[in-house]
Amino acid sequence: MTQLTILRYPDPRLHTVAKPVTDVNQRLSQLVSDMFETMYEAAGIGLAATQVDVHERLIVIDVSEKRDEPMVLINPELVWRSEETRLGEEGCLSVPGIYDGVERSLAVKVQALNLDGQLQTYEAEGTLAVCIQHEMDHLLGKVFVEYLSPLKRNRIKTKLVKQKKDEERDAAR
Ligand code: NI
């Protein structure tokens, strides 16, 4: 397994719209293993292929406390979302150290292929529902900070750009 590099906001590649997966094959299961390793190592609960610079409709999720309930969504489609919404705090492995409120549907129903290439339907609520919506946004090139006000977003952008420069300078020393 390989740990992959997670793109960081405001990297423009995070705004790429992912294409459907055309073949559930060995290459894809390798990518899924690598994405899980990367996500667990970074202590995240979800990771979209977009975040590791692979622009295919693929998501890995594990919202369990014991980190033993991996979930793979290939070509996910939202088939239903509740009208009822809730404002919850979100973070993102591509936006390290930033947490802010985003309004999401309380429950969703999603259809996706699993690693056996079978179409599955999942009903989710709570954290899992939020995570699915957050990761599916990544596949459309959308990062959660885009739901925030332009003022907040610019502040985050400036902070992360400075953080990256500082890291590069430290690494060069
Ligand atoms: Ni994210």
Side-chain angles (χ1 to χ4, degrees), residues 20 57 74-80 109-113 136:
R57 295 186 58 81
I74 302 165
N75 295 341
E77 295 296 339
L78 215 55
V79 289
W80 176 82
K109 197 190 241 185
V110 65
Q111 272 186 343
L113 297 175
M136 285 186 70

Side-chain angles (χ1 to χ4, degrees), residues 7-43:
L7 298 179
R8 283 212 238 160
Y9 186 79
D11 192 309
R13 289 171 290 181
L14 284 169
H15 303 304
T16 312
V17 177
K19 293 197 167 69
V21 169
T22 51
D23 198 7
V24 181
N25 54 20
Q26 181 55 39
R27 178 196 66 94
L28 199 79
S29 32
Q30 184 59 53
L31 175 60
V32 166
S33 309
D34 293 345
M35 282 173 63
F36 272 119
E37 191 189 354
T38 307
M39 182 190 82
Y40 286 132
E41 185 61 35

Side-chain angles (χ1 to χ4, degrees), residues 82-113:
S82 65
E83 269 174 46
E84 201 183 336
T85 59
R86 202 186 66 168
L87 185 71
E89 189 163 87
E90 288 183 28
C92 178
L93 294 178
S94 293
V95 195
I98 308 288
Y99 300 88
D100 215 320
V102 179
E103 195 153 353
R104 303 275 191 191
S105 291
L106 213 53
V108 295
K109 197 190 241 185
V110 65
Q111 272 186 343
L113 297 175

Side-chain angles (χ1 to χ4, degrees), residues 46 51 91-94 134-135 138 143-144:
Q51 293 175 273
C92 178
L93 294 178
S94 293
H134 175 116
E135 301 310 331
H138 275 302
V143 181
F144 86 97

Side-chain angles (χ1 to χ4, degrees), residues 3 16 21 25 43 46-47 54 61 68 72 74 77 80 85 96 99 109 114 117-118 124-125 129 138 149 153 158 171:
Q3 222 170 291
T16 312
V21 169
N25 54 20
L47 187 68
V54 175
I61 289 176
D68 58 357
V72 180
I74 302 165
E77 295 296 339
W80 176 82
T85 59
Y99 300 88
K109 197 190 241 185
N114 63 15
Q118 292 161 329
E125 53 177 36
H138 275 302
S149 69
R153 194 161 60 238
T158 307

